[in-house]
C-alpha cells in the first residue's frame, strides 16, 4: 500500500510536487528541515518585524516581542516539539502513532498562513512591503522551510484518543482549562482596537483549533466534555456571567456582547427552520423586526403609537406571539412549495415587511411606525421601578459595571432559555421529524410524519424566538427604523447558521459570535468588510462545508464518501464510476 500524501491541502496544492517516492527518499533528513524552520520561527520574534509602531500591536522593538509575535513563537515551539517527539520516542510496529507528527504538520501550515497574513497586514497599514523589517521575513522564511520539511515526512495515521478515560480530577481540570482559555481569547479579542490585529488573532485561534484537531487532542476533549457535560455547562455559564466584570466601566465591548447575544438568539430561531427542518428562509429578519416594532409601539416612548404600556414580560410574550403569527401567515400558503420557490417567497416576505413598515407613516397608511423615521427615544426598561440604564449597584461593589450590564444579564438569561428550548426540541420526536423532513420529505410523509404541520411549527417556533430577541433589541438600541431590517441582515443570519454548523446549538453560537463581532472590529476596513466576508464564505464552503462545529450527521454527509474513496485508492482497489464525484 502506498503512503498517502496527506490532508486536503497537500492533495489539492501539491499533487505532483510531493510524491510518495519523494517522501521515502527525503524521510531521513526532512525532520531536520522541519526543526530548522521551527527554530527560525522561534528566534524571529526577538527581532523587529515592522518599521513603525503603528502596525498591528507594535512589532518594531527588538528583543521585546508583541503578543502577536509571541503567538508565532508558540507555533514554532509546537513544530519543534511535535517533530522531536515523533522522531525520538519509538513506537511498536503496527501501533497507531500519537498525533505529534500530525500536530507539527498542522502547526507548520498554520504558521505559514499566519505569518503571511501578518506581512500583508503590515504592508497595508504602513503602505508597502518595504516597511517589513528583516525579522518578519526571517519568520516567514522559517514558516516556508517548516512547511516543506513537515510535508516531506510520511503522514502518520489518524490518532484516536476519544475513548481514552483519565481520572475524574484530570478531566474536570481539562474542561475548566479549556473554558478558561476560550474566555481569555474572547476577552482578548474584544480588546483589539486594530482591525488587522483582530483578524490575525482570530486566524491564530482557528489555527490552534486545527492543530488540536489534527493531533487528536480535540477528539479526546470531545469525549471528556461528553462525560463531564454538567461541568462544561457550569463552566460556560460561569464564564458568561463573569464577562462584564472584566470590562471595567467601558460600554463599547459590553454593547457589542449584548448585540452578539441578540444576533445569536435570532440565529438559533433560524436554525430551527433551516438547520433542522431544511427550509430555506431568506426573509427571517422580518420576524426580528416585528418583535422590535411591537415592543417599541408598546413602550413609554413619547413617539410610541399605542397608548398601552403593559409590563415588559407581557410585552415579550406579545412580541413573540405577533412574530409567530406572521410565521403562520407566511407559512400556511407557502409551505406547499419547497426549494428555490420557498426561498423566493420568504425573500419577498422580508421585503414586504420593510415596505409595509415604511408605509405605516400616517400618510400612506395608519400611523403605527412613523414610516422611515422609525420610533426614537425608546426608554430603558424599568421593571418594578428598577432602571436598566444604571449598572446593578449590588454587583458593582468590587468593580463598577458598564451601562449595558443589566441588558447583558437579561439577554443571557433569555439565551439560556432559548438554548434549552432548542436543545429539547432537537432531541425530541418533533426534532427527529424535522430532520426526517430535511433529509427526504417524501419518505418522511410516506412513513406517517405530518410534514406540513411540523414545517408550520418550525416557522412559528423560530419566529417566536426572533420576536423575543426583537423585544429586547428595541430597548437596547433606543430607537428603531426600517433600515435595520434589510435583506443583508437575513443573509448574515443565514451565514451564521451555515458557517457555525446547521442543526447544532454550539455551532450556531460560534458562527453568530464571529459574524457579529468581526464587522464591529473591522471598521478600519469598512470598504473591505464584505470582501473579507465573501472570502471567508468561499474558504469555508471549500474546505469545511459542514461548518465550524458540525453535527456528526452533517460531517458524515460531507466527508464519508471522500474517505472511503481515498482508502480504496490507497489500497489499489478499483473505484466504480458511480462512486466518483462529478
Amino acid at each position: 500500500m502506498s503512503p498517502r500524501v496527506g490532508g486536503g491541502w497537500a492533495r489539492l496544492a501539491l499533487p505532483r510536487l510531493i510524491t510518495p517516492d519523494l517522501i521515502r527518499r527525503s524521510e531521513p533528513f526532512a525532520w531536520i528541515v522541519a526543526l530548522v524552520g521551527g527554530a527560525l520561527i522561534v528566534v524571529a520574534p526577538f527581532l523587529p518585524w515592522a518599521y513603525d509602531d503603528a502596525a498591528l500591536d507594535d512589532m518594531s522593538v527588538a528583543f521585546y516581542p508583541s503578543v502577536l509575535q509571541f503567538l508565532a513563537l508558540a507555533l514554532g515551539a509546537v513544530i519543534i516539539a511535535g517533530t522531536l517527539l515523533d522522531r525520538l520516542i519509538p513506537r511498536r510496529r503496527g501501533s497507531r502513532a500519537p498525533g505529534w507528527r500530525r500536530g507539527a504538520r498542522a502547526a507548520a501550515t498554520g504558521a505559514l498562513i499566519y505569518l503571511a497574513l501578518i506581512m500583508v497586514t503590515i504592508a497595508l497599514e504602513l503602505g508597502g512591503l518595504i516597511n517589513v523589517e528583516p525579522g518578519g521575513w526571517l519568520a516567514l522564511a522559517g514558516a516556508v522551510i517548516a512547511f516543506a520539511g513537515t510535508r516531506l515526512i510520511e503522514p502518520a495515521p489518524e490518532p484516536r484518543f476519544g475513548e481514552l478515560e483519565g481520572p475524574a480530577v484530570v478531566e474536570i481540570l481539562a474542561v475548566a482549562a479549556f473554558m478558561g482559555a476560550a474566555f481569555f481569547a474572547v476577552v482578548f479579542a474584544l480588546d483589539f482596537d486594530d482591525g488587522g490585529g483582530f483578524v490575525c488573532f482570530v486566524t491564530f485561534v482557528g489555527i490552534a483549533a486545527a492543530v488540536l484537531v489534527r493531533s487528536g487532542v480535540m477528539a479526546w476533549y470531545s469525549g471528556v466534555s461528553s462525560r463531564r457535560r454538567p461541568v462544561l455547562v457550569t463552566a460556560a455559564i460561569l464564564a458568561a456571567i463573569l464577562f462584564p466584570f472584566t470590562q471595567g466601566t467601558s460600554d463599547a465591548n459590553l454593547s457589542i456582547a449584548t448585540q452578539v447575544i441578540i444576533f445569536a438568539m435570532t440565529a438559533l430561531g433560524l436554525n430551527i427552520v433551516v438547520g433542522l427542518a431544511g427550509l430555506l428562509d431568506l426573509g427571517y429578519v422580518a420576524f426580528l423586526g416585528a418583535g422590535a416594532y411591537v415592543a417599541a409601539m408598546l413602550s413609554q416612548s413619547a413617539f410610541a403609537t399605542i397608548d398601552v404600556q403593559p409590563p415588559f414580560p407581557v410585552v415579550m410574550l406579545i412580541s413573540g406571539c405577533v412574530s409567530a403569527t406572521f410565521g403562520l401567515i407566511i407559512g400556511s400558503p407557502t409551505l406547499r412549495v419547497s426549494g428555490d420557490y420557498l426561498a423566493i417567497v420568504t425573500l419577498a416576505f422580508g421585503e414586504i415587511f420593510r415596505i409595509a413598515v415604511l408605509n405605516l407613516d400616517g400618510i400612506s397608511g395608519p400611523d403605527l411606525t412613523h414610516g422611515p423615521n422609525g420610533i426614537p427615544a425608546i426608554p430603558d426598561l424599568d421593571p418594578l421601578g428598577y432602571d436598566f440604564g444604571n449598572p446593578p449597584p449590588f454587583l458593582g461593589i468590587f468593580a463598577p459595571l458598564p451601562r449595558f450590564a443589566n441588558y447583558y444579564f437579561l439577554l443571557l438569561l433569555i439565551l439560556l432559555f432559548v438554548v434549552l428550548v432548542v436543545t429539547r426540541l432537537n432531541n425530541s420526536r418533533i426534532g427527529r421529524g424535522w430532520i426526517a423532513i430535511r433529509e427526504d420529505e417524501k419518505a418522511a410523509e410516506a412513513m406517517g410524519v405530518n410534514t406540513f404541520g411540523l414545517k408550520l411549527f418550525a416557522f412559528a417556533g423560530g419566529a417566536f424566538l426572533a420576536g423575543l430577541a426583537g423585544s429586547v433589541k428595541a430597548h437596547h438600541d433606543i430607537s428603531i427604523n426600517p433600515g435595520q431590517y434589510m435583506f443583508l441582515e437575513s443573509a448574515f443570519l443565514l451565514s451564521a447558521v451555515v458557517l457555525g454548523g446547521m442543526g447544532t446549538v454550539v455551532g450556531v453560537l460560534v458562527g453568530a459570535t464571529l459574524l457579529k463581532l468581526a464587522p464591529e472590529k473591522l471598521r478600519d476596513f469598512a470598504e473591505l468588510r464584505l470582501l473579507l466576508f465573501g472570502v471567508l464564505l468561499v474558504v469555508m464552503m471549500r474546505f469545511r462545508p459542514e461548518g465550524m462545529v458540525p453535527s456528526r450527521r452533517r460531517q458524515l454527509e460531507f466527508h464519508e464518501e471522500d474517505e472511503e474513496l481515498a482508502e480504496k485508492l490507497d489500497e489499489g482497489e478499483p473505484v466504480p464510476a458511480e462512486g466518483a464525484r462529478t
Side-chain angles (χ1 to χ4, degrees):
M1 180 174 64
S2 61
R4 294 178 64 179
V5 175
W9 285 96
R11 290 196 300 271
L12 264 176
L14 304 171
R16 297 181 180 177
L17 296 180
I18 299 180
T19 62
D21 183 61
L22 178 61
I23 290 177
R24 282 193 297 269
R25 286 188 284 120
S26 61
E27 183 78 21
F29 62 87
W31 67 280
I32 299 178
V33 176
L35 287 178
V36 171
L40 291 177
I41 298 175
V42 170
V43 171
F46 296 95
L47 300 175
W49 288 11
Y51 177 76
D52 196 296
D53 61 358
L56 298 175
D57 56 347
D58 189 4
M59 299 180 172
S60 61
V61 182
F63 302 105
Y64 192 78
S66 67
V67 173
L68 294 178
Q69 288 176 302
F70 264 120
L71 298 181
L73 186 152
L75 291 176
V78 170
I79 296 171
I80 295 174
T83 305
L84 284 177
L85 289 174
D86 181 73
R87 185 72 181 179
L88 300 179
I89 299 180
R91 66 178 188 273
R92 283 181 285 180
R93 184 185 298 274
S95 63
R96 294 190 68 85
W100 298 317
R101 187 184 306 181
R102 294 169 63 90
R105 174 174 290 195
T109 305
L112 182 59
I113 297 172
Y114 177 70
L115 291 169
L117 179 61
I118 285 181
M119 300 303 110
V120 171
T121 305
I122 292 175
L124 290 175
E125 294 189 355
L126 296 183
L129 289 173
I130 194 173
N131 294 287
V132 179
E133 290 291 302
W137 295 117
L138 181 65
L140 186 60
V144 173
I145 294 172
F147 177 82
T150 55
R151 290 293 166 181
L152 291 174
I153 300 176
E154 181 180 353
E158 183 178 355
R160 294 181 179 175
F161 301 141
E163 299 178 356
L164 295 179
E165 296 188 23
V169 175
V170 174
E171 293 189 345
I172 292 174
L173 289 177
V175 171
F178 181 85
M179 289 306 305
F183 177 72
F184 174 78
V186 171
V187 174
F188 190 78
L190 283 172
D191 287 339
F192 263 107
D193 295 327
D194 181 79
F198 173 80
V199 172
C200 292
F201 179 75
V202 171
T203 302
F204 172 81
V205 172
I207 292 169
V211 172
L212 294 178
V213 170
R214 296 289 291 171
S215 62
V217 175
M218 192 59 72
W220 174 78
Y221 180 78
S222 297
V224 171
S225 60
S226 298
R227 293 189 293 270
R228 309 294 173 185
R229 187 171 298 276
V231 178
L232 178 65
V233 173
T234 303
I237 295 175
L238 182 62
I241 292 175
L242 291 178
F243 173 75
F245 297 95
T246 65
Q247 301 304 307
T249 58
S250 173
D251 283 338
N253 288 342
L254 203 57
S255 175
I256 295 174
T258 53
Q259 295 176 35
V260 167
I261 296 178
I262 293 172
F263 191 76
M265 290 168 54
T266 312
L268 284 173
L270 181 59
N271 187 45
I272 294 177
V273 180
V274 178
L276 295 180
L279 306 172
L280 184 56
D281 189 344
L282 297 181
Y284 188 76
V285 74
F287 302 126
L288 177 69
Y293 266 99
V294 168
M297 289 187 290
L298 296 176
S299 69
Q300 297 179 359
S301 170
F303 299 92
T305 54
I306 298 178
D307 192 19
V308 177
Q309 291 84 35
F312 183 68
V314 177
V315 173
M316 290 179 60
L317 291 177
I318 295 175
S319 299
C321 291
V322 169
S323 296
T325 303
F326 280 130
L328 292 174
I329 293 174
I330 187 61
S332 297
T334 60
L335 287 180
R336 301 294 182 183
V337 299
S338 60
D340 298 338
Y341 298 100
L342 179 62
I344 293 172
V345 171
T346 54
L347 173 61
F349 169 69
E351 288 302 301
I352 289 171
F353 171 80
R354 185 178 63 85
I355 295 172
V357 168
L358 284 170
N359 289 330
L360 296 178
D361 57 356
I363 301 175
S364 302
D367 189 11
L368 292 177
T369 63
H370 297 313
N373 295 324
I375 301 178
I378 302 173
D380 287 309
L381 294 173
D382 57 347
L384 302 177
Y386 176 69
D387 185 8
F388 266 51
N390 296 320
F394 60 92
L395 293 177
I397 297 175
F398 303 103
L401 292 177
R403 169 185 175 272
F404 291 103
N406 291 302
Y407 288 100
Y408 176 85
F409 290 124
L410 174 63
L411 287 166
L412 186 62
L413 182 63
I414 300 174
L415 178 64
L416 293 176
F417 167 75
V418 172
V419 169
L420 178 63
V421 169
V422 174
T423 303
R424 293 294 185 182
L425 285 175
N426 197 355
N427 297 325
S428 67
R429 178 177 57 85
I430 295 175
R432 292 194 295 271
W434 283 333
I435 293 174
I437 294 172
R438 185 191 70 192
E439 299 299 326
D440 193 327
E441 183 176 348
K442 296 298 182 183
E445 188 173 6
M447 295 301 295
V449 176
N450 183 2
T451 56
F452 181 77
L454 286 179
K455 289 195 296 184
L456 199 60
F457 181 62
F459 252 82
F464 181 83
L465 297 181
L468 289 183
S471 64
V472 183
K473 177 178 172 61
H475 290 272
H476 174 272
D477 293 349
I478 302 177
S479 65
I480 59 173
N481 61 76
Q484 297 173 332
Y485 307 104
M486 302 178 66
F487 166 72
L488 188 61
E489 292 299 318
S490 293
F492 270 93
L493 286 168
L494 183 61
S495 300
V497 175
V498 175
L499 291 179
M502 291 194 297
T504 65
V505 174
V506 176
V508 173
L509 293 177
V510 172
T513 301
L514 179 61
L515 288 186
K516 192 63 179 180
L517 185 61
E520 296 293 335
K521 291 298 181 179
L522 296 180
R523 293 188 180 276
D524 295 339
F525 303 95
E527 298 179 355
L528 299 176
R529 282 192 294 181
L530 286 180
L531 174 62
L532 295 175
F533 174 64
V535 171
L536 175 63
L537 284 178
V538 172
V539 171
M540 284 296 298
M541 291 303 100
R542 177 58 189 88
F543 295 103
R544 198 171 177 82
E546 69 272 24
M548 290 182 286
V549 188
S551 65
R552 182 63 176 168
R553 181 187 298 271
R554 298 285 295 177
Q555 203 166 15
L556 291 175
E557 287 175 1
F558 279 103
H559 294 291
E560 184 178 23
E561 182 183 1
D562 291 341
E563 292 299 322
E564 290 176 356
L565 290 176
E567 290 176 3
K568 288 182 179 180
L569 289 172
D570 286 346
E571 296 171 1
E573 298 180 11
V575 179
E578 63 269 18
R581 285 186 178 270
T582 58

